[in-house]
Each structure stands twice: as C-alpha cells, then as structure tokens.
C-alpha cells in the first residue's frame, strides 16, 4: 500500500512539475487536429539513423509545410530515463522511434503519452498492420499507447568455425533440447575451442533477464508472459525447468559469472549468444554464424517455438502540439514501403504479419534472416502492467542470486520472486 501511495504521489508530482517548470501541455483537442512542424527522436543505432534520415527526407519533400526534424534520443543512463525526464520537462519529441514496451505503463502514468486509439483510424491501422501480433501491446484499459514497430526475436546465434574446431557439425548443431545443448556446451568448452559456450550478461540490470530466462521461459511454456491476468506465471514447471537449465550452465562454468567487457561472440570468447537479427550485420564480416531457436526441455519444433520479442514501439508524447502531422508521419513511417526500406537497411523485423510473403526478395537475397522472420510470428512481449520495471528488477535480483551465483536453490528463488512480484502487482494496482 505504501508503494502504491508513493507511486500515485510521484505521478501527481511529475504531472505538476511538467506544468510548473517545463512547457505547459497543449490542449489535447486542439493538438489532435493541428498540423505543422514536429520533432522525432531516433535511437543511436547507425542503421536505424540512416533509415530515419531517408524516411524523413522523403516526408519533408512531400510535406514542406509540415517539416520534420530528427535527432537521437538525448543522452542518459538509459533511453527510458532520458524520455521520462523529458516528460517531466515537457520537452519530449512528438514521436520516439525506440520506445520500450516495459516503460509504456510508467510513461502512461506520467500523463506523457497520447492514446493512439483516439485517432479515428488508430486501432484499425495498428491491427491491420500487425494482426494478432498487436494484442500484447494494448494497455490494460484496452487502448493502444504505442504502435508496435519492430521486433528483434531472440534466437541462438553460433560461431560455425568454433563448432568445427570442437569437432561438432556446424551445419547440424545439436542444440534443440536442454540435454543436447548442455552436451554441446561441454564439448565446446572442454575441447578448448572457446572459453565459454555462451556468455550472456550475468549482471543485475532489470532488462538482462530478457536475454537468458525470458526467451527460455517463453519457449518452454509455449508462449506465456512473465505475468498474465495479474498473476506471475514463472513459478511453474516451465519456469523451473528453464531456471535449472541455466543454473547448470553457470554451475559447470559453461557460462561465466563475470561480465565480458565487449562482444564475446564477435571476439571468439563465446561460441554462442542469445541475440536478435540486429546482430547479423554486426557479425557478417567477422563471424560465420548459424541460427537456431532457443532450446526447450524436449525439443519443440522450430515452427512452434516462442521467444522474447525484444520489440521497440513508436509512441506519441503529450508535449506534441501538431498531433495530426505526427499521426500521419507515424503511418507513413510504418507503411509497407517504409517497412521494406527499414528491413533492408537494418535487418530488423517490422512488426507485421507474414513477413516472408510480404518481402520475398529480401529473404531470398538474405537467407540468414529467414529464421528470424519465422520466429517473429511467435513472440512474447513483456507484460503491460504498472510497476513493470520494478517487477523485472525483483525477478532479476532473484535470478542473479540463485541461477548465476547459486546462493539459493532455483525453486526457492522462483517461489520467493513470485510472491514478491504478486505483492508488487497488488501495491501498484492501477493508480489511474
């Protein structure tokens, strides 16, 4: 109760601060129909920036009276913190093309987001583009406060050369089941081919579980979220199997307990990594990579395997005074033509159904991306619940203690984390 009360007071304080020390929020009704210049923020990913500049140039050529200016998200510890601070100051861009779904509940409670469902064609456009994939991105009130933009479904990338050095078949790796994966991992390390079989960050940042536990849990559970219908789902047979699998990797020193100061796969220190398609471009000139789905206890067929989406959305922020222009630009930037240009420039998956059928020429030319396009049809998002980041931090603290360092049994840790997160869900509630 204390946390919920504090959270409510924080939201009210933030809303007041935005008016007191920043720009006053525009009248929503007037802004909804207003057109004119706007600013958008892009991530610092070089390929995304290149696409963004071309997209905006094409828009500006056609709409000289609705000029768009782009810049990268302001520097901060994380982009989420930078965006949150800008909401307080009333200085957020109209559109941010790198909005984490985990932060949407917080931004929403800061009164920082424009409900996209309020546009006459808002829901229709979002669902037509993404189909059933968009269901996970509605907020609890049924409203879209984000447009699901692009996913980077997490899969296992492996270094074919290291596999070959270890005496393993690089074209048919045995990685489908937990037992196969562990056997392969032992061979990779014990042969001396690599220091680590796999080397995810073992650190305690809330988002690190998205690249070890969450893909494994999504796959093992057949597509469950961490929290569903207000109840934690991970203290379950699927969660316990996934945690035990990762605990074995750490206990046998197949995954190191320290953070690697760089890219372990690219540097040849690890044979495998859990990453999305963005990494293909990063490795193409240095590592001969293969791609397989995340393993499960019994070896789920690839076409039925779920994984974490690592999705980023586009959100419109309440500081925007020309929202009609912003909405039109958002639709322009996520049109079929621009999605194709984005896919070609970045290798990341636009969040729309039937990618392979929609862009056959790209996947014929770049077959390494095909597994990611198939995986993008079976993705799990972070739960859209108040207190999302605190919930993930509570889980990560338990994971680091039990799975990474073995200071507590994984079963006990999952049970305690489930209880803790259940209490957080009760305390946060929905302080609207």
């Amino acid at each position: 109760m204390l946390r919920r009360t504090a959270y409510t007071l924080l939201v009210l304080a933030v809303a007041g601060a935005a008016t007191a020390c920043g720009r006053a929020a525009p009248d929503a009704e007037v802004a909804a129909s207003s057109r004119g210049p706007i600013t958008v923020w892009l991530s610092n990913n070089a390929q995304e920036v290149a696409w963004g500049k071309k997209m905006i140039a094409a828009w500006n050529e056609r709409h000289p009276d609705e000029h768009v200016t782009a810049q990268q998200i302001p520097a901060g510890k994380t982009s989420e913190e930078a965006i949150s601070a800008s909401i307080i100051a009333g200085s957020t861009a109209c559109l941010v093309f790198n909005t984490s779904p985990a932060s949407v509940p917080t931004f929403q409670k800061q009164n920082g987001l424009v409900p996209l469902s309020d546009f006459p064609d808002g829901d229709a456009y979002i669902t037509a583009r993404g189909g059933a994939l968009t269901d996970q991105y509605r907020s609890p009130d049924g409203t879209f406060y984000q447009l699901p933009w692009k996913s980077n479904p997490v899969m296992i990338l492996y270094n074919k050369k290291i596999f070959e050095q270890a005496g393993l078949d690089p074209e048919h790796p045995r990685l489908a089941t937990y037992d196969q994966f562990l056997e392969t991992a032992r061979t990779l390390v014990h042969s001396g081919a690599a220091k680590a079989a796999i080397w995810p960050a073992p650190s305690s940042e809330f988002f690190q579980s998205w690249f070890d536990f969450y893909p494994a849990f999504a796959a093992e559970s057949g597509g469950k979220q961490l929290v569903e219908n207000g109840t934690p789902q991970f203290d379950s047979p699927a969660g316990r199997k996934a945690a035990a699998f990762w605990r074995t990797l750490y206990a046998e020193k197949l995954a190191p307990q320290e953070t690697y100061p760089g890219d372990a796969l690219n540097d040849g220190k690890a044979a495998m990594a859990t990453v999305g398609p963005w990494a293909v471009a990063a490795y193409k000139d240095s590592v001969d990579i293969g791609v397989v789905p995340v393993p499960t206890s019994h070896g789920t067929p690839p076409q039925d395997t779920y994984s974490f989406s690592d999705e980023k959305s586009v959100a419109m922020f309440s500081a925007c005074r020309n929202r009609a222009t912003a909405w039109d630009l958002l639709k322009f930037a996520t049109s079929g033509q621009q999605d194709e240009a984005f896919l070609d420039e970045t290798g990341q998956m636009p969040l729309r159904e039937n990618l392979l059928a929609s862009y056959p020429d790209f996947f014929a030319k770049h077959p390494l991306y095909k597994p990611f396009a198939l995986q993008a049809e079976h993705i799990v998002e972070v739960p859209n619940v108040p207190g999302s980041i605190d919930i993930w931090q509570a889980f990560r603290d338990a994971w680091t203690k039990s799975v990474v360092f073995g200071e507590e049994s994984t079963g006990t840790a999952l049970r305690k984390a489930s209880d803790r997160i259940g209490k957080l869900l009760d305390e946060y509630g929905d302080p609207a």
Side-chain angles (χ1 to χ4, degrees):
M1 185 66 183
L2 288 175
R3 178 180 291 272
R4 177 174 177 172
T5 301
Y7 183 69
T8 305
L9 292 173
L10 172 63
V11 171
L12 293 173
V14 164
T19 302
C21 64
R23 294 172 55 191
D27 180 273
E29 187 173 348
V30 173
S33 58
S34 294
R35 299 181 179 277
I38 65 170
T39 298
V40 304
W41 288 350
L42 307 170
S43 79
N44 61 3
N45 177 281
Q47 289 81 22
E48 287 185 38
V49 171
W51 165 81
K53 289 180 176 179
K54 293 175 185 176
M55 179 273 292
I56 289 167
W59 168 273
N60 285 339
E61 185 177 1
R62 303 177 192 182
H63 304 86
D65 295 330
E66 299 175 85
H67 187 84
V68 176
T69 302
Q71 68 179 63
Q72 294 181 32
I73 296 173
K77 184 177 180 181
T78 65
S79 61
E80 290 76 23
E81 289 186 5
I83 294 169
S84 185
S86 73
I87 293 173
I88 295 173
S91 59
T92 320
C94 276
L95 298 172
V96 177
F97 284 80
N98 196 50
T99 302
S100 169
S103 296
V104 166
T106 299
F107 297 160
Q108 181 184 343
K109 295 306 176 184
Q110 286 182 279
N111 294 321
L113 297 176
V114 174
L116 301 180
S117 295
D118 285 358
F119 290 97
D121 58 342
D123 279 15
Y125 178 78
I126 292 171
T127 55
R129 178 175 177 266
L133 296 173
T134 62
D135 292 345
Q136 299 180 79
Y137 299 91
R138 287 186 186 270
S139 289
D141 63 1
T143 299
F144 283 115
Y145 291 89
Q146 57 185 315
L147 182 144
W149 176 36
K150 48 103 173 183
S151 68
N152 274 281
V154 175
M155 302 187 75
I156 303 293
L157 268 65
Y158 66 95
N159 186 321
K160 291 184 177 181
K161 183 178 179 180
I162 290 178
F163 269 60
E164 191 171 14
Q165 289 173 346
L168 299 167
D169 184 348
E171 302 304 327
H172 304 92
R174 288 173 52 79
L175 296 168
T177 70
Y178 289 166
D179 287 343
Q180 289 177 353
F181 194 102
L182 290 169
E183 180 183 350
T184 296
R186 291 173 186 126
T187 300
L188 289 163
V189 174
H190 297 163
S191 69
K195 178 179 179 179
I198 193 166
W199 203 332
S203 49
S204 61
E205 296 90 352
F206 74 90
F207 55 83
Q208 296 297 359
S209 290
W210 300 345
F211 305 100
D212 43 38
F213 173 75
Y214 207 34
F217 176 64
E220 186 67 25
S221 67
K224 283 190 174 296
Q225 291 185 311
L226 191 82
V227 173
E228 293 183 358
N229 299 318
T231 303
Q233 301 294 310
F234 55 84
D235 184 21
S236 63
R240 289 189 285 272
K241 287 177 183 178
F245 164 68
W246 274 100
R247 176 62 200 137
T248 302
L249 287 167
Y250 282 109
E252 296 188 16
K253 309 301 182 185
L254 305 173
Q257 293 171 313
E258 67 272 12
T259 299
Y260 183 75
D263 188 319
L265 182 64
N266 192 57
D267 294 345
K269 300 298 182 181
M272 296 180 283
T274 48
V275 287
W278 65 266
V280 173
Y283 296 138
K284 67 179 182 179
D285 296 326
S286 56
V287 182
D288 184 10
I289 57 175
V291 183
V292 295
V294 174
T296 58
S297 61
H298 292 97
T300 305
Q303 66 272 18
D304 297 325
T305 300
Y306 282 81
S307 187
F308 171 56
S309 68
D310 195 19
E311 190 270 352
K312 293 296 183 291
S313 294
V314 187
M316 187 182 301
F317 287 80
S318 54
C320 184
R321 297 177 179 276
N322 292 315
R323 297 178 188 176
T325 293
W327 176 239
D328 284 348
L329 176 69
L330 180 50
K331 292 187 289 184
F332 175 79
T334 56
S335 63
Q337 182 179 5
Q338 284 299 328
D339 278 348
E340 183 174 22
F342 181 80
L343 177 63
D344 189 62
E345 188 80 46
T346 70
Q348 300 179 55
M349 304 292 115
L351 205 144
R352 56 169 60 235
E353 288 187 314
N354 302 316
L355 281 174
L356 289 172
S358 299
Y359 306 114
D361 292 345
F362 174 85
F363 292 106
K365 185 178 179 181
H366 305 285
L368 196 57
Y369 287 98
K370 184 176 179 180
F372 291 104
L374 294 170
Q375 185 66 74
E377 299 286 341
H378 293 82
I379 52 175
V380 175
E381 191 47 70
V382 297
N384 191 320
V385 293
S388 175
I389 291 175
D390 277 357
I391 286 167
W392 279 108
Q393 189 63 63
F395 179 86
R396 189 63 183 179
D397 291 344
W399 176 270
T400 303
K401 180 179 180 180
S402 63
V403 174
V404 177
F405 294 108
E407 296 174 2
E408 186 174 51
S409 74
T410 56
T412 298
L414 291 180
R415 184 176 67 254
K416 288 182 178 179
S418 181
D419 290 344
R420 173 65 177 146
I421 289 172
K423 291 176 181 177
L424 286 172
L425 289 165
D426 289 341
E427 290 172 4
Y428 274 110
D430 186 15

